[in-house]
Amino acid sequence: MSTVSNAVRKMRRWHAEPVVQDVYDRVLIVDDHGVTRSDTVARTEVNACKDTIRNRVWDLLDRHGADAEAGSAHGRIPNFIGADAAADRLAELQVWQDAAVVKAVPDKAQLPARARALREGKLVYMAVPKLAQPQPFYLLDPAELTVAPEEAASSRVAASIARNIGLDELRPVDLIICGSVAVNHAGVRLGKGAGYSDIEVAPLAQAGLISADTTIVHSLQVVDTDILETRHDFSVDLIVTPDEVITCSPPRRPAGLHWDDLSAQQIAAMPILQSLQSGR
């Protein structure tokens, strides 16, 4: 029996709910040395395993009071305490200093990094929350800001001052800053489960517009657990916490969108998917 199947069996013990086996995905397990093993696992089981890890991390953050928001961290990308320190640590890296164009998620934990990028004169593309508009990126040009970088970097203010642009207007991106719920030392990450980050990155990868990926997380979100990785998932090259920088390898990017993996509900909710689908 494969190592991947053993990993799935171990994670299955954490998840008590029965799993209906229907659609099957080819999944990967990447160890800390970059060695990849593959297997075929029911999609519902993959999702159950991922949800188990998410819930363990959210519970851990709640127990330690590590989220800056009131209430529980469950159900969202954590706005962890120490995000400012993580952004400072990221800014010490050469990959940051060399970057002229940054794409970032709109989550609160990444706001200090977005604001710093604007202060340092970097062009910032911020994803529209939930990719809910036909042109799903805010263009934040530091040369054209009418408010302070710290204000412009918030998704609420960006919605009122920034121009919306589509994929056809994006310049090549030097650095992607993504949020995560959990990430392991191999760079396999989990978001909150909606798939927004994967959908943002896949068309950019297909167009050859991206290079390095970084995720900024709290150290409690870095797990030693194997995380099942499917073909639409992307890995990160660097993990930056308030305490350390972890280099991950090898880089893994989706070749593009895998339409069979997208639900009708996802396509209906995201105009960018509808546009790309009509152009196939």
Side-chain angles (χ1 to χ4, degrees):
M1 181 167 296
S2 75
T3 308
V4 175
S5 297
N6 288 333
V8 172
R9 177 171 288 102
K10 185 188 300 182
M11 285 185 271
R12 187 184 298 158
R13 289 200 299 268
W14 300 335
H15 185 83
E17 298 296 323
V19 174
V20 178
Q21 299 199 2
D22 45 8
V23 179
Y24 283 76
D25 283 326
R26 174 67 63 179
V27 299
L28 305 176
I29 287 287
V30 185
D31 66 20
D32 292 348
H33 303 289
V35 177
T36 303
R37 293 97 66 196
S38 67
D39 202 351
T40 302
V41 180
R43 183 173 300 172
T44 46
E45 190 151 358
V46 173
N47 292 337
C49 291
K50 288 182 175 182
D51 283 343
T52 297
I53 296 170
R54 290 186 183 100
N55 285 314
R56 290 174 67 202
V57 170
W58 282 324
D59 286 345
L60 188 62
L61 291 168
D62 285 350
R63 284 200 304 272
H64 287 265
D67 193 284
E69 299 295 308
S72 172
H74 276 255
R76 54 186 172 80
I77 301 295
N79 181 20
F80 64 90
I81 294 171
D84 287 324
D88 290 344
R89 190 171 292 278
L90 171 62
E92 296 172 355
L93 302 180
Q94 194 66 46
V95 67
W96 170 273
Q97 295 165 13
D98 291 343
V101 180
V102 173
K103 192 202 82 67
V105 294
D107 302 298
K108 289 184 179 179
Q110 286 68 47
L111 190 152
R114 296 193 300 268
R116 184 167 191 136
L118 292 172
R119 286 199 307 272
E120 295 183 8
K122 302 180 190 298
L123 190 72
V124 174
Y125 299 132
M126 188 197 312
V128 172
K130 299 183 179 180
L131 300 177
Q133 298 184 22
Q135 294 179 303
F137 299 100
Y138 297 131
L139 169 62
L140 293 169
D141 185 338
E144 299 179 0
L145 294 183
T146 57
V147 298
E150 287 73 17
E151 293 181 67
S154 80
S155 59
R156 179 180 56 82
V157 175
S160 62
I161 67 165
R163 184 167 67 90
N164 285 67
I165 62 173
L167 285 170
D168 57 332
E169 292 189 67
L170 294 184
R171 289 167 45 187
V173 175
D174 301 311
L175 183 66
I176 291 178
I177 302 172
C178 66
S180 298
V181 173
V183 63
N184 66 17
H185 288 79
V188 186
R189 62 171 291 282
L190 294 177
K192 60 187 177 184
Y196 299 124
S197 288
D198 297 321
I199 292 168
E200 288 172 30
V201 168
L204 300 181
Q206 186 170 333
L209 291 174
I210 63 172
S211 50
D213 288 333
T214 298
T215 191
I216 295 181
V217 297
H218 191 279
S219 56
L220 291 175
Q221 295 170 252
V222 182
V223 300
D224 293 325
T225 305
D226 288 336
I227 300 176
L228 300 181
E229 189 176 29
T230 57
R231 61 181 179 169
H232 61 266
D233 295 323
F234 71 92
S235 70
V236 297
D237 306 318
L238 295 168
I239 303 167
V240 182
T241 80
D243 308 306
E244 64 179 335
V245 175
I246 302 168
T247 300
C248 313
S249 64
R252 296 175 306 286
R253 308 281 187 270
L257 287 166
H258 295 280
W259 292 96
D260 292 344
D261 295 345
L262 298 173
S263 68
Q265 291 81 2
Q266 285 177 304
I267 294 172
M270 301 181 207
I272 184 177
L273 294 180
Q274 298 163 34
S275 175
L276 291 170
Q277 188 181 51
S278 66
R280 292 173 65 192

